[in-house]
Amino acid sequence: MAASEAAVMSSSSLKTDTCPVLETAGTVAAMAATPPARAAAAVVAAAARTGSEARVSKAALATKLLSLSGVFAVHKPKGPTSAELLNRLKEKLLAEAGMPSPEWTKRKKQTLKIGHGGTLDSAARGVLVVGIGSGTKMLTSMLSGSKRYIAIGELGKATDTLDSTGKVTEEKPYDKITQEDIEGILQKFTGNIMQVPPLYSALKKDGQRLSTLMKRGEVVEAKPARPVTVYSISLQKFQPPFFTLDVECGGGFYIRSLVSDIGKELSSCANVLELTRTKQGPFTLEEHALPEDKWTIDDIAQSLEHCSSLFPAELALKKSKPEKSNEQVLSCEYITLNEPKGEDDVIKTC
């Protein structure tokens, strides 16, 4: 009898060493109470149930992901651009939901819509507001709200990018500059003022970003000064050559230009050493921005629910399309999920 049972086991296509199965107490008991052939069948059935449950779980996550709608915030670290960070977020969510997958290719075309409002420089960190689903239509309102920054400037050095990532273009003495000198000129940069944007920026010329043209070595003329608003500005710390500013401003304002202009006003020069956005609209870095380890479908769903109270009802229900802007400040990605992603996959930016 043992020999015949062994023959059955050896001729079976089941390979238990290459197909690990989560054995329940019931499965183990059934294997102990039945002949080996039946035990093998029980293992196969348990594996099928486990695989089926996993598919059901992924399908449920995919459905939940596509149902997400609203606006939330993430914590952008130094390094990636805002667009790169958005792509990283999108990939993590799609991977968690197992999308695209064979199950979804059989369904009606499904689309994940996600975007960000208010670009942060790659060298900056802080709050980045993200819209998902119909929440992408609310992003324009984020651009019109106030923003708050903590900026560390360095006196005595000017760079082509106006921050520490650029090439040093000028050096001037700063040793006679005092804390009182800095505090005394800040009022000139408060209220409704005119500001010249940096050459290295997302502003465009003939459809191309100025920063892209500059990196190619092309000659780029500075954009004309434009009206911007600074609600408040204060000096938090001064330890020459470094000074720390707390700035609250409106949309379209460049902290790099502010720090550069402060250096010039002090008969020296300056660039931004570090920049952190601590607030964008009603979102704050401390309370609302999700760190990368919280970029999960469940955590984002909870954040959307928490953040829904930050907006008036009429804004939350607004369905109109966002207004066009002169800046590249709104990035919406439409990811078609009914076919594998390839080089020709369309990712639209609006």
Side-chain angles (χ1 to χ4, degrees):
M1 185 67 169
S4 63
E5 291 172 351
V8 171
M9 289 295 291
S10 62
S11 63
S12 172
S13 61
L14 174 67
K15 298 180 180 180
T16 57
D17 61 329
T18 59
C19 184
V21 177
L22 181 61
E23 298 180 353
T24 63
T27 302
V28 175
M31 291 175 65
T34 58
R38 293 182 188 176
V43 172
V44 172
R49 286 195 301 272
T50 302
S52 176
E53 290 170 359
R55 286 193 294 273
V56 170
S57 177
K58 287 293 186 182
L61 281 172
T63 299
K64 185 172 184 179
L65 173 59
L66 292 175
S67 71
L68 296 179
S69 183
V71 180
F72 62 103
V74 297
H75 184 173
K76 178 197 170 301
K78 291 175 63 175
T81 65
S82 297
E84 289 169 347
L85 192 78
L86 185 70
N87 192 58
R88 185 191 301 176
L89 170 63
K90 174 204 65 180
E91 289 179 349
K92 286 176 73 74
L93 294 177
L94 293 179
E96 182 187 357
M99 300 166 69
S101 67
E103 286 73 25
W104 285 93
T105 61
K106 299 175 185 178
R107 302 189 181 194
K108 186 178 180 181
K109 181 184 287 188
Q110 303 288 332
T111 302
L112 174 64
K113 189 176 179 183
I114 189 169
H116 72 79
T119 301
L120 267 178
D121 295 335
S122 58
R125 59 181 290 269
V127 179
L128 183 68
V129 174
V130 176
I132 191 167
S134 61
T136 56
K137 298 179 181 179
M138 300 166 59
L139 288 174
T140 301
S141 66
M142 296 298 97
L143 307 179
S144 60
S146 69
K147 303 172 179 66
R148 194 163 189 167
Y149 297 88
I150 297 295
I152 299 178
E154 180 184 18
L155 291 167
K157 288 183 182 179
T159 68
D160 54 359
T161 60
L162 308 188
D163 64 15
S164 59
T165 66
K167 178 182 177 182
V168 176
T169 58
E170 185 180 21
E171 294 188 56
K172 285 188 174 183
Y174 59 85
D175 53 297
K176 293 184 179 181
I177 297 174
T178 66
Q179 179 171 329
E180 290 72 22
D181 291 333
I182 298 177
E183 291 175 335
I185 66 168
L186 293 184
Q187 187 60 36
K188 294 183 179 180
F189 299 98
T190 305
N192 298 317
I193 62 174
M194 300 296 289
Q195 184 186 66
V196 177
L199 288 176
Y200 279 87
S201 70
L203 299 180
K204 292 186 175 181
K205 176 186 178 183
D206 300 328
Q208 297 190 64
R209 290 190 175 196
L210 296 184
S211 56
T212 301
L213 297 175
M214 290 288 292
K215 290 175 183 177
R216 289 179 188 167
E218 298 185 23
V219 177
V220 178
E221 293 184 6
K223 290 282 186 177
R226 57 185 187 171
V228 292
T229 302
V230 178
Y231 300 107
S232 65
I233 179 171
S234 61
L235 180 66
Q236 300 295 300
K237 184 178 180 181
F238 181 51
Q239 187 174 353
F242 308 113
F243 60 100
T244 303
L245 301 174
D246 183 348
V247 183
E248 185 168 6
C249 57
F253 185 82
Y254 283 91
I255 299 294
R256 286 179 291 145
S257 290
L258 168 68
V259 169
S260 176
D261 290 341
I262 286 175
K264 294 174 183 177
E265 188 69 26
L266 294 168
S267 300
S268 182
C269 53
N271 73 92
V272 174
L273 190 65
E274 290 187 20
L275 180 63
T276 302
R277 182 156 66 195
T278 59
K279 177 180 175 288
Q280 183 177 0
F283 297 93
T284 64
L285 179 60
E286 194 170 308
E287 185 178 355
H288 304 107
L290 294 176
E292 190 163 356
D293 61 355
K294 294 289 186 181
W295 293 359
T296 68
I297 295 172
D298 285 341
D299 284 321
I300 290 175
Q302 292 177 19
S303 183
L304 288 171
E305 183 176 357
H306 174 60
C307 294
S308 63
S309 62
L310 300 175
F311 306 99
E314 61 271 18
L315 178 59
L317 297 174
K318 187 176 181 181
K319 298 296 182 181
S320 59
K321 293 183 179 180
E323 298 177 2
K324 292 185 178 180
S325 171
N326 293 326
E327 300 179 54
Q328 187 66 20
V329 289
L330 178 61
S331 174
C332 301
E333 295 190 350
Y334 302 80
I335 311 301
T336 301
L337 301 176
N338 69 327
E339 57 186 24
K341 183 176 179 181
E343 291 183 357
D344 296 328
D345 218 17
V346 178
I347 299 179
K348 299 179 181 178
T349 302
C350 61

